[in-house]
Amino acid sequence: MKSGVRALGVAESFREDRSTLAGVVCRVDRSVDGFVFGQCTVGGSDATATVIEMIERLDRPDVSYLLLAGIAPAWFNVLDLAAIADAADRPAISISFEASAGLESALREAFEGDALEWRLETYRAQPERHAVAVGDETVFVRAEGCPREEAVQTVRAFTPEGGRPEPLRVARQAARAVAAFDRR
């Protein structure tokens, strides 16, 4: 992958009622050259809209990929990868860092009625999750808007060491810093 290729990594830091989302533009050579922030409701249904709004505000046509930390930030505020990829007109790749049997049983324990049905419908519509070896680590990848192999190559290219792609590592740190500042 060419050294100037950029990805926007989006990660969160949450507290009781809201989640701070940070977006970091990072080149594959690890140079950071942009930030954007947003908030979504913990346990809500606005994470997808928040991510799309962040991408629009950032207004960076030079970003080639969207890397999202997980599929359900802010306590099951499930992301719709197809809606994000379509709105951004570029691939959306969700990366999670732990093996699991999926979210359906946890969703059923935490929600009921329309709140449960919306989450199940959105979650079931997401691309299948695949384990990907990155160095000595394993991450779990879902991709919308690009073939699976391109998503795997992208995740590996943006992960210079450890198991967390650099745009997501920096975005998580930025989200934590902003959330801590907001609590003052």
Side-chain angles (χ1 to χ4, degrees):
M1 190 170 284
K2 294 182 181 179
S3 64
V5 174
R6 290 169 174 80
L8 172 65
V10 178
E12 72 158 337
S13 178
F14 76 92
R15 60 180 183 177
E16 297 136 18
D17 60 340
R18 66 181 172 183
S19 178
T20 299
L21 299 178
V24 173
V25 177
C26 186
R27 293 185 348 191
V28 76
D29 68 4
R30 294 186 257 174
S31 298
V32 172
D33 68 0
F35 290 89
V36 64
F37 298 93
Q39 291 184 332
C40 64
T41 309
V42 172
S45 59
D46 57 347
T48 297
T50 299
V51 169
I52 291 170
E53 188 267 335
M54 290 168 62
I55 294 164
E56 290 170 351
R57 262 189 306 114
L58 187 62
D59 192 25
R60 292 288 300 264
D62 58 336
V63 168
S64 300
Y65 298 95
L66 308 172
L67 304 180
L68 306 160
I71 195 72
W75 196 63
F76 305 119
N77 197 330
V78 183
L79 293 170
D80 183 339
L81 296 181
I84 294 168
D86 288 346
D89 194 27
R90 63 203 85 185
I93 303 168
S94 168
I95 299 123
S96 55
F97 306 98
E98 296 178 17
S100 78
L103 296 180
E104 287 201 29
S105 63
L107 291 172
R108 290 182 188 287
E109 288 177 25
F111 299 95
E112 57 186 32
D114 290 343
L116 173 62
E117 290 309 312
W118 168 81
R119 283 171 175 79
L120 288 174
E121 182 179 313
T122 304
Y123 178 68
R124 289 174 180 157
Q126 301 316 300
E128 187 177 338
R129 188 170 94 138
H130 299 281
V132 174
V134 180
D136 293 336
E137 304 286 332
T138 299
V139 297
F140 301 88
V141 175
R142 300 173 194 266
E144 185 70 48
C146 68
R148 178 180 169 188
E149 189 52 40
E150 182 179 349
V152 169
Q153 290 173 352
T154 300
V155 169
R156 287 180 177 152
F158 279 94
T159 310
E161 59 188 22
R164 192 171 299 267
E166 190 69 0
L168 295 181
R169 187 187 72 75
V170 176
R172 182 173 70 165
Q173 289 179 334
R176 287 177 175 172
V178 169
F181 180 78
D182 282 349
R183 289 183 198 141
R184 296 178 335 128

